[in-house]
Amino acid sequence: MKLARFGEDRLGIVRDDVIVDVTDVAGIASGEWPPVGMNRLISDFGALKQKLERAASGQGVPLSSVRLLTPVPWPSKVVAYPVNYHDHGAEMHVGYRADNQGFFLKPPSSISGPNDPIVLPVNAGRRIDHECELAIVIGKECRDVPRERHREYIFGYSCLIDAVVRGKEERVARKAFDTFCPVGPWIVTEDEIGEAAAELQGTLWVNGEVKQDANTRDLVLDIPGMIEMASSIMTLYPGDIIATGTPAGV
């Protein structure tokens, strides 16, 4: 199942080139503040799944006729793993890796949608990079998850860009700007990906030129390890996002 947000904070299921509005089926109030409708859908997904599957076969509207928004605009946190590909560590000339360095947090206010521009801050002479990453969306509240049970707590996956201003300031200060974390265009539920998450290809283009092209099989700290590490330190909640780190090509 592909779940998206669109229009004026509506929730939908994407079916081929059509999107079906399931906001009312999920019992979500469109436009509420804070915008946690998708978080609630994720939390209640087990009880809602059959109703959503039935609704997904209904009449929709062309996907091209709606504006897609970021799927989860209000996670409690975005957990991001730096230098999680050896080739990226080599190109940045750093010796540490995510398996021994740990993670940092990006603020939810940095999240933007697949149709939103990345607004560059005024930093004359500063280099600003893209970072192509896989987003892991947490499905259940959890703590101390052993790696062999990690799939139980994943709701699904999405695409993510972790934009960054290069420099010597603390990492979060260079990655926390508004719009510096595009996520989308939708969430693909875990049951559609399964073990294939260990071999997903991620590609990023800039003006039609391929800049990054890598596979999750090359991660230093794999998906089970990332969930295990993060949940050993803090509670993860439905809708929380884990960013897997970027490969070479920045």
Side-chain angles (χ1 to χ4, degrees), residues 64-170:
S64 60
S65 70
V66 303
R67 180 179 177 83
L68 292 173
L69 310 173
T70 193
V72 187
W74 203 262
S76 76
K77 50 192 164 294
V78 178
V79 180
Y81 284 87
V83 194
N84 205 12
Y85 286 83
H86 287 297
D87 58 0
H88 177 56
E91 75 174 350
M92 299 304 291
H93 307 292
V94 294
Y96 61 82
R97 297 292 184 267
D99 56 347
N100 53 51
Q101 181 76 3
F103 55 83
F104 63 96
L105 299 179
K106 284 175 74 81
S109 56
S110 67
I111 293 176
S112 59
N115 292 299
D116 299 327
I118 297 175
V119 180
L120 304 184
V122 179
N123 282 286
R126 299 292 291 274
R127 177 174 141 197
I128 300 174
D129 281 340
H130 52 266
E131 293 189 353
C132 168
E133 309 197 12
L134 178 67
I136 305 164
V137 182
I138 298 298
K140 300 176 184 177
E141 181 178 336
C142 57
R143 181 74 198 272
D144 294 320
V145 177
R147 59 178 292 117
E148 61 271 14
R149 295 183 59 193
H150 76 282
R151 286 183 59 186
E152 298 175 35
Y153 299 96
I154 297 175
F155 178 72
Y157 298 93
S158 192
C159 301
L160 180 149
I161 293 177
D162 178 18
V164 55
V165 177
R166 298 298 178 194
K168 296 182 179 180
E169 299 91 348
E170 288 290 343

Side-chain angles (χ1 to χ4, degrees), residues 179-249:
T179 76
F180 264 38
C181 191
V183 181
W186 43 67
I187 302 169
V188 180
T189 51
E190 198 280 339
D191 60 308
E192 290 200 18
I193 304 294
E195 295 294 339
E199 293 186 305
L200 289 179
Q201 196 74 18
T203 308
L204 181 142
W205 297 260
V206 177
N207 297 326
E209 180 183 355
V210 173
K211 292 290 189 178
Q212 294 184 285
D213 192 30
N215 195 288
T216 53
R217 75 169 71 93
D218 299 320
L219 286 165
V220 176
L221 183 64
D222 61 6
I223 291 171
M226 283 184 269
I227 293 175
E228 182 178 51
M229 179 185 289
S231 68
S232 73
I233 294 171
M234 57 195 175
T235 302
L236 302 177
Y237 295 101
D240 281 357
I241 296 171
I242 295 177
T244 59
T246 195

Side-chain angles (χ1 to χ4, degrees), residues 5-90:
R5 283 175 65 248
F6 68 99
E8 299 297 324
D9 193 26
R10 307 293 294 180
L11 303 185
I13 295 176
V14 177
R15 188 188 71 227
D16 298 323
D17 58 352
V18 167
I19 186 165
V20 180
D21 193 323
V22 295
T23 312
D24 296 335
V25 173
I28 304 301
S30 177
E32 65 182 348
W33 182 260
V36 293
M38 184 65 86
N39 304 61
R40 282 206 298 276
L41 185 153
I42 292 170
S43 179
D44 298 339
F45 187 70
L48 291 170
K49 186 177 181 181
Q50 288 187 345
K51 291 168 64 174
L52 292 171
E53 287 173 339
R54 288 195 296 269
S57 62
Q59 185 174 2
V61 299
L63 189 59
S64 60
S65 70
V66 303
R67 180 179 177 83
L68 292 173
L69 310 173
T70 193
V72 187
W74 203 262
S76 76
K77 50 192 164 294
V78 178
V79 180
Y81 284 87
V83 194
N84 205 12
Y85 286 83
H86 287 297
D87 58 0
H88 177 56

